[in-house]
Amino acid sequence: MQSKRILIVDDDVNLRRTVSDILEAKGHVPVVAATGRAALERVKKAAPAVALLDLRMEDLSGIEVLRGIKQYSPRTECIVLTGHASQESAIEAVNLGAYGYLQKPYDVNQLLVTIRRAIERQEDRQALQDSEERYRRFFQTSRDCAFITSREGHWLDMNQAAVELFDYESKEALEKVNVRDLYAEPADREVLIQTIEQQGGIQNYPVDLQKKNGDVIHALITSVPLRDKQDRITSLQGTIRDITERKKAEEALANYAVELAEKNAELERLNEQKNQFLGIAAHELRNPLHFILTYSEFLLEEASDVLSEEQIKFLSIIRSSSEFMVRLVNDLLDVARINAGKLQLNTEPTDLVALVRRNVSLNKTLAAKRDVHLRLHEEPLPTMAVDPVKVEQVLNNLMTNAVKYSPPGGIVDVTLERDGDHVTLAVHDRGPGIPDDELDKVFQPFETTSIESLTGEKGTGLGLAIAKKIAQGHGGDIWVESMMGQGTTFYLSLPIHDEGDGRPQG
């Protein structure tokens, strides 16, 4: 127990000294007074925790001193010491607020126990008072409506937030309204009370209330019952949180989600129509374009000796333009199939090393025309389950791009190696490179970089987008690394699958 200030009021000097020594030995701070007036002066200067008070003194009666102490220091616990005074006077003192009384002569242990219990009661009262003060502060300052109502719906207490919630002029005006009438559906309050009785309380219970003007308040109520000694519910205590704005936001968000879903469905329908149109248009254009390309090539090869220089120039333009259009049409057909979710992979056991060798060999012819050299670096690999046609489409795209952006006399390195449970193909050129801020868009449909090919050929902006879809369709990926002035490397990674079940090999 902490040291406490204890006042000893008695006209017996020996008793004051004895009790003072005992209390000091117990760690307390004794303060003595020989008269009632001296005792009150001590209390005015510094309130004691406990006062030991003799009922019979010369200047003031013990009852008068008790009243004075309670006036100046209501928290001080008084213990009456009675000898000559009657027991009725001691009982009167207790009724006036004294903690208790001891009959002289008293036992020392009894005195110490009584003092300890008086201190404990003072501390309990102080703790209760502090708790009540904290509760009252919370009650009055809470942003939520705080209330105490009778079971019948009469207001017993409320904070200012309650007045603001229901939009009344004052507490007095709101007190005149039965709580039942503040419910959008008055019967809901009876359901709420029954729920409280059955569950012993509610937390965040949703209910619709109404303001003075009839506007609906969406709210959450948290409440517990207060009971009498017979365990009957006498009142309800709790808080009301206004969630009207949150409810409106949730409803708006839900409506937006429905609207967004409808728009997405419409976009999907339009996108499907667009893909169908692209597929049909590209398919219808492909045959005429092939005829134009074939005849222009035939005329350039077979009739160039009878054509003028200007005619040959025109035919060359027709051939290069029709080549571009054929590539674009083929790419559009691939994109239409991919966007429609119709990318079909016809996987089969494939010797990827042999496939890459053949592709490099075919592209060497194109590279040689531009004085570019292709070099293949390989290592033994297991047979893999891939779609050889689609993989070769990717290889052609990567190697053709590398050759187009390589300077005369340049070298393109093609490296094929195993990396754990994947095979990685790298195609590295020594061209101008790609700016860092354009690397992210090279795999986007219809996107091209600001770097022009050294041959002057235009790209469709679809080849790499298709290559990425094909790589991902195999469970792999494709990416690029580049440095301006030093060249570009495209990487194709494909998983090594077991031929039977498509799972990666260990």
Side-chain angles (χ1 to χ4, degrees):
M1 183 178 295
Q2 293 182 346
S3 175
K4 298 291 183 179
R5 182 181 179 87
I6 299 178
L7 176 63
I8 306 163
V9 186
D10 202 301
D11 54 8
D12 186 334
V13 61
N14 293 324
L15 185 143
R16 294 198 305 271
R17 185 179 296 113
T18 299
V19 174
S20 180
D21 291 342
I22 292 171
L23 294 177
E24 197 168 13
K26 292 296 182 180
H28 296 296
V29 180
V31 179
V32 298
T35 65
R37 289 189 175 87
L40 295 179
E41 289 300 318
R42 301 282 195 281
V43 171
K44 290 178 184 179
K45 290 180 180 179
V50 177
L52 302 177
L53 180 60
D54 187 7
L55 276 180
R56 186 171 182 178
M57 288 180 291
E58 295 181 358
D59 59 341
L60 296 174
S61 71
I63 297 296
E64 290 174 313
V65 176
L66 173 62
R67 287 197 178 101
I69 291 175
K70 286 300 179 183
Q71 177 183 351
Y72 299 127
S73 177
R75 296 180 182 178
T76 298
E77 297 290 349
C78 295
I79 300 173
V80 173
L81 306 176
T82 176
H84 303 292
S86 67
Q87 189 172 6
E88 287 77 9
S89 296
I91 294 173
E92 180 185 358
V94 171
N95 291 334
L96 288 173
Y99 171 73
Y101 65 89
L102 293 175
Q103 185 78 34
K104 293 181 179 179
Y106 43 77
D107 179 71
V108 172
N109 289 331
Q110 185 183 12
L111 173 65
L112 293 175
V113 168
T114 304
I115 291 174
R116 190 189 75 230
R117 289 176 177 171
I119 292 172
E120 289 173 351
R121 187 171 84 161
Q122 186 203 46
E123 291 175 342
D124 290 344
R125 283 182 171 179
Q126 185 62 45
L128 179 60
Q129 184 176 347
D130 292 344
S131 176
E132 290 175 347
E133 180 61 29
R134 286 194 298 271
Y135 171 75
R136 175 54 52 182
R137 194 179 301 117
F138 162 77
F139 191 92
Q140 294 300 338
T141 61
S142 173
R143 294 181 180 180
D144 293 333
C145 162
F147 66 86
I148 301 177
T149 66
S150 70
R151 193 188 188 288
E152 293 72 30
H154 303 296
W155 292 95
L156 302 179
D157 200 358
M158 70 180 77
N159 62 356
Q160 183 60 30
V163 180
E164 295 170 0
L165 174 65
F166 294 104
D167 201 20
Y168 277 76
E169 299 81 9
S170 63
K171 288 185 178 181
E172 292 73 20
L174 182 55
E175 284 174 349
K176 296 176 182 178
V177 181
N178 191 290
V179 174
R180 187 184 302 105
D181 297 329
L182 296 173
Y183 281 69
E185 294 292 338
D188 287 348
R189 186 171 189 270
E190 291 305 317
V191 176
L192 180 141
I193 292 177
Q194 291 173 10
T195 304
I196 292 175
E197 290 175 340
Q198 294 169 1
Q199 300 180 5
I202 55 174
Q203 185 173 10
N204 293 331
Y205 186 94
V207 67
D208 286 344
L209 307 173
Q210 58 184 358
K211 296 189 177 191
K212 182 181 179 181
N213 63 4
D215 288 350
V216 173
I217 305 169
H218 301 295
L220 296 176
I221 297 182
T222 296
S223 181
V224 294
L226 302 179
R227 300 176 182 271
D228 59 16
K229 293 181 180 180
Q230 285 73 41
D231 201 34
R232 294 173 301 194
I233 294 178
T234 58
S235 57
L236 303 175
Q237 175 180 317
T239 59
I240 302 173
R241 173 161 295 180
D242 183 359
I243 60 166
T244 303
E245 293 304 317
R246 189 178 86 185
K247 195 83 170 179
K248 289 179 180 177
E250 290 174 351
E251 290 175 355
L253 185 61
N255 292 335
Y256 176 75
V258 172
E259 182 181 349
L260 185 62
E262 291 174 349
K263 288 183 177 180
N264 284 337
E266 177 65 12
L267 285 174
E268 288 180 5
R269 185 184 66 80
L270 293 174
N271 189 55
E272 185 177 351
Q273 289 181 351
K274 179 262 296 181
N275 290 333
Q276 291 175 352
F277 171 77
L278 282 177
I280 294 170
H283 188 270
E284 293 298 322
L285 287 171
R286 183 161 56 176
N287 287 338
L289 286 171
H290 268 296
F291 285 130
I292 295 172
L293 176 60
T294 301
Y295 281 120
S296 63
E297 289 177 341
F298 173 78
L299 289 172
L300 284 171
E301 292 176 1
E302 301 296 332
S304 58
D305 53 343
V306 297
L307 297 174
S308 67
E309 185 176 337
E310 188 176 13
Q311 289 171 331
I312 292 175
K313 180 181 177 181
F314 287 157
L315 280 172
S316 297
I317 294 173
I318 293 172
R319 181 180 63 180
S320 62
S321 297
S322 58
E323 281 180 342
F324 173 77
M325 288 302 296
V326 168
R327 290 199 307 272
L328 178 60
V329 165
N330 288 333
D331 287 347
L332 285 173
L333 284 170
D334 283 338
V335 168
R337 283 192 291 266
I338 290 171
N339 287 342
K342 296 178 181 178
L343 174 64
Q344 293 183 346
L345 297 178
N346 300 313
T347 60
E348 59 184 65
T350 302
D351 183 345
L352 192 62
V353 174
L355 180 67
V356 173
R357 282 179 190 164
R358 183 173 65 254
N359 193 266
V360 169
S361 178
L362 292 173
N363 277 282
K364 278 184 177 181
T365 304
L366 171 65
K369 291 180 180 180
R370 294 168 181 171
D371 193 21
V372 176
H373 306 283
L374 285 176
R375 297 191 307 198
L376 175 61
H377 312 275
E378 63 183 62
E379 65 179 46
L381 296 174
T383 300
M384 296 175 58
V386 299
D387 184 330
V389 175
K390 290 292 190 292
V391 170
E392 191 158 16
Q393 182 179 349
V394 175
L395 296 178
N396 277 327
N397 183 276
L398 297 182
M399 293 189 199
T400 300
N401 285 343
V403 170
K404 283 195 303 184
Y405 287 94
S406 293
I411 297 174
V412 174
D413 285 309
V414 181
T415 304
L416 185 64
E417 60 185 2
R418 180 167 184 165
D419 183 12
D421 59 358
H422 281 67
V423 167
T424 300
L425 173 84
V427 179
H428 172 67
D429 67 55
R430 291 160 177 80
I434 303 172
D436 288 344
D437 59 350
E438 297 183 18
L439 288 174
D440 289 340
K441 68 178 186 178
V442 296
F443 297 106
Q444 299 299 319
F446 302 105
E447 292 283 357
T448 57
T449 67
S450 60
I451 305 301
E452 293 185 0
S453 71
L454 300 180
T455 63
E457 293 182 43
K458 295 187 299 181
T460 65
L462 293 172
L464 288 173
I466 295 170
K468 191 170 186 71
K469 291 293 186 181
I470 292 173
Q472 292 174 340
H474 281 84
D477 200 3
I478 190 170
W479 67 95
V480 62
E481 295 176 359
S482 187
M483 186 172 293
M484 292 299 293
Q486 297 187 26
T488 301
T489 305
F490 280 88
Y491 296 91
L492 170 65
S493 176
L494 297 173
I496 302 173
H497 292 303
D498 180 78
E499 298 172 21
D501 60 10
R503 295 176 298 181
Q505 290 183 350

